[in-house]
Amino acid sequence: MKQVFILRGLPGSGKSYYAQNLADELAGADESQYVICSTDDYFINDQGEYQFDKFKLPQYHNLNLARFINALAQNIPLVIVDNTNIKKWEFIAYAQAAVALGYQVKEVIVGEVKDKSMQHLYAKRNSHNIPLKTISKMAYMFEW
């Protein structure tokens, strides 16, 4: 069975950890059996450091979607989208492409979006230094 998991959640909620654990559980050690598509990957510079550039965000989202569609076209059995996906429009193209290519699609919300204490935790532990104010705004805008 071909599966796509679309992860949704605030920065620091554990999406990337969840994605890797899901891949390990469902595909085992065989990295040819899964692809994790994260726009964050495109912000890693040659020194391996994360450098966010809001002006490149649309371009990198398009590159991530292209990588996703390429994985589907290669019939990779498990494809995981590891983005915040706060608004439904942000991941609808992923879902539609997956369905069109015969994949079962599951949307997974990682973490507690509306819990204020969890937002504080996410602000402390997210790897991109996104402040609590931004995380709280994202939580407010989250579409169910």
Side-chain angles (χ1 to χ4, degrees):
M1 174 180 15
K2 300 186 303 183
Q3 294 181 292
V4 162
F5 286 82
I6 298 174
L7 305 186
R8 304 181 65 204
L10 300 172
S13 63
K15 291 179 305 301
S16 296
Y17 179 80
Y18 184 95
Q20 190 59 59
N21 281 337
L22 184 64
D24 292 345
E25 182 180 322
L26 297 179
D30 189 350
E31 292 187 11
S32 71
Q33 297 301 299
Y34 72 89
V35 172
I36 298 172
C37 299
S38 175
T39 300
D40 280 344
D41 293 346
Y42 296 96
F43 291 102
I44 306 295
N45 67 19
D46 293 338
Q47 291 76 39
E49 301 161 338
Y50 183 84
Q51 287 187 304
F52 182 76
D53 179 347
K54 69 179 180 181
F55 298 108
K56 291 187 177 178
L57 193 57
Q59 174 190 357
Y60 289 171
H61 273 304
N62 286 336
L63 287 171
N64 195 56
L65 178 59
R67 173 172 54 180
F68 173 82
I69 292 170
N70 188 46
L72 300 182
Q74 292 178 31
N75 287 310
I76 303 291
L78 174 63
V79 186
I80 302 168
V81 179
D82 175 16
N83 286 340
T84 56
N85 293 310
I86 299 301
K87 302 277 194 174
K88 295 236 181 217
W89 68 262
E90 294 172 327
F91 64 90
I92 194 71
Y94 290 95
Q96 289 177 339
V99 169
L101 292 172
Y103 280 76
Q104 179 183 31
V105 177
K106 294 181 182 174
E107 178 186 331
V108 178
I109 297 173
V110 179
E112 298 292 331
V113 175
K114 298 298 182 184
D115 185 318
K116 297 284 188 198
S117 62
M118 293 304 289
Q119 292 172 22
H120 282 270
L121 174 64
Y122 301 158
K124 287 180 184 170
R125 77 177 185 193
N126 81 80
S127 59
H128 307 310
N129 297 317
I130 298 170
L132 175 60
K133 182 179 179 181
T134 303
I135 289 173
S136 296
K137 182 179 178 185
M138 293 171 81
Y140 177 76
M141 296 179 350
F142 195 90
E143 287 182 359
W144 297 94

